[in-house]
Amino acid sequence: MFRFICIVIFLIAYLILTIPVLIVEWIIGKFNPYARDISSLRIVQWGFKVILRITGVKATVIGEENIPDEPVLFIGNHRSYFDILLTYSRCRRLTGYIAKKEMERYLTLTSWMRRVYCLFLDRKNPKEGLKTILQAIDYIKNGISICVFPEGTRNEGEELSMLPFKDGAFKISTKTGCPIVPISLNNTAEIFEKHMPRIKKTHVVIEYGKPIYPDQLDKDTKRHIGDYVENIIRETIHKNADLV
């Protein structure tokens, strides 16, 4: 419980004390939008790294060199709230995450999320969902990577299980030609979800797969690209099961 309380205190303090920082960032953006974007990225990453340090999590990271220096679509399996912290804290480029619309209710948090190009997906409204995908496509075209967990929600099943991937997110890649980078995450639910509200010092494994360029796939594989990427991630988390 001690780690959980420390994280709650830090998060509340962070969201309150960075309100003036948001204002400064807004002013910077009037003169130099890119400087504002990079500054916002590093500020959010700093907060995530502090939280991860409090949890005591240790990460084995494999294949980070596979990430090309261009906007990409990150696709990962999803078992923990900490999946976002673990992956976003490692982003070298501007990267927006697609989050559920319910996250918009948290005012200062939402402001920071929008500042770092996060998008909010209404899973109950297909029309609004399409708008979110189109906005993500626009971000990719403007040099901003996107990260999606296409299971649609946190998987609360067995450790090596996965929920079926939803296909909509893959249009971000097929419509832009940007590479897909699979992210395979092992043991992240052990940090918090398996024994809430206690936070446990945990070892996790993160593997970044080789980039997948949709235009280089055969016609049938491209048509079922969601299944193709899902199988890669499933095989990888099974391969890495013995590392945790």
Side-chain angles (χ1 to χ4, degrees):
M1 280 294 291
F2 177 73
R3 288 191 179 96
F4 177 78
I5 293 169
C6 288
I7 288 173
V8 170
I9 292 171
F10 173 79
L11 188 57
I12 292 171
Y14 180 92
L15 294 176
I16 293 173
L17 295 176
T18 57
I19 291 174
V21 179
L22 281 169
I23 298 171
V24 173
E25 292 284 275
W26 177 79
I27 295 170
I28 293 172
K30 292 294 183 180
F31 301 95
N32 191 333
Y34 181 74
R36 175 206 60 201
D37 289 347
I38 294 299
S39 175
S40 296
L41 171 66
R42 301 309 178 208
I43 290 169
V44 172
Q45 287 181 322
W46 174 82
F48 283 176
K49 287 175 181 177
V50 171
I51 292 173
L52 291 172
R53 196 171 296 118
I54 294 171
T55 68
V57 66
K58 301 295 182 184
T60 294
V61 182
I62 303 168
E64 203 164 12
E65 69 280 0
N66 288 327
I67 304 172
D69 188 20
E70 60 181 305
V72 306
L73 174 64
F74 291 107
I75 293 289
N77 60 309
H78 190 29
R79 293 185 52 79
S80 173
Y81 292 117
F82 284 91
D83 296 340
I84 299 167
L85 282 73
L86 286 162
T87 54
Y88 193 78
S89 61
R90 308 193 70 85
C91 291
R92 296 192 296 265
R93 298 175 58 95
L94 295 174
T95 304
Y97 278 53
I98 294 184
K100 58 184 180 182
K101 189 173 180 62
E102 290 79 1
M103 293 293 293
E104 285 188 300
R105 70 185 69 169
Y106 306 110
L107 297 179
T108 308
L109 178 60
T110 301
S111 297
W112 274 114
M113 291 176 72
R114 290 191 184 281
R115 186 62 57 81
V116 293
Y117 294 98
C118 287
L119 296 168
F120 299 92
L121 179 65
D122 187 346
R123 293 173 292 182
K124 298 178 182 178
N125 188 329
K127 187 176 179 180
E128 290 301 313
L130 177 59
K131 288 182 181 179
T132 301
I133 297 300
L134 291 175
Q135 181 64 69
I137 289 171
D138 189 56
Y139 281 174
I140 289 285
K141 290 178 178 178
N142 284 282
I144 300 163
S145 295
I146 295 292
C147 184
V148 183
F149 298 110
E151 289 169 285
T153 187
R154 284 181 299 110
N155 174 18
E156 298 179 0
E158 294 297 321
E159 168 60 25
L160 298 179
S161 68
M162 287 172 58
L163 300 174
F165 278 10
K166 301 183 186 303
D167 291 332
F170 293 92
K171 289 184 173 64
I172 299 168
S173 177
T174 57
K175 296 296 185 183
T176 63
C178 80
I180 297 168
V181 175
I183 306 177
S184 305
L185 298 151
N186 284 74
N187 209 38
T188 57
E190 191 63 36
I191 301 171
F192 179 58
E193 281 74 11
K194 285 188 177 180
H195 35 69
M196 293 188 290
R198 190 167 67 91
I199 289 176
K200 182 180 176 183
K201 191 174 180 179
T202 304
H203 176 230
V204 303
V205 179
I206 307 168
E207 178 161 346
Y208 295 89
K210 292 183 178 179
I212 301 162
Y213 290 85
D215 293 341
Q216 295 178 6
L217 300 174
D218 62 71
K219 190 174 181 180
D220 187 62
T221 303
K222 186 175 180 180
R223 188 184 301 117
H224 301 98
I225 194 168
D227 293 337
Y228 178 69
V229 177
E230 180 183 340
N231 287 334
I232 289 173
I233 292 176
R234 179 179 290 107
E235 290 174 3
T236 305
I237 62 174
H238 278 80
K239 172 181 72 72
N240 292 338
D242 292 336
L243 298 179
V244 297

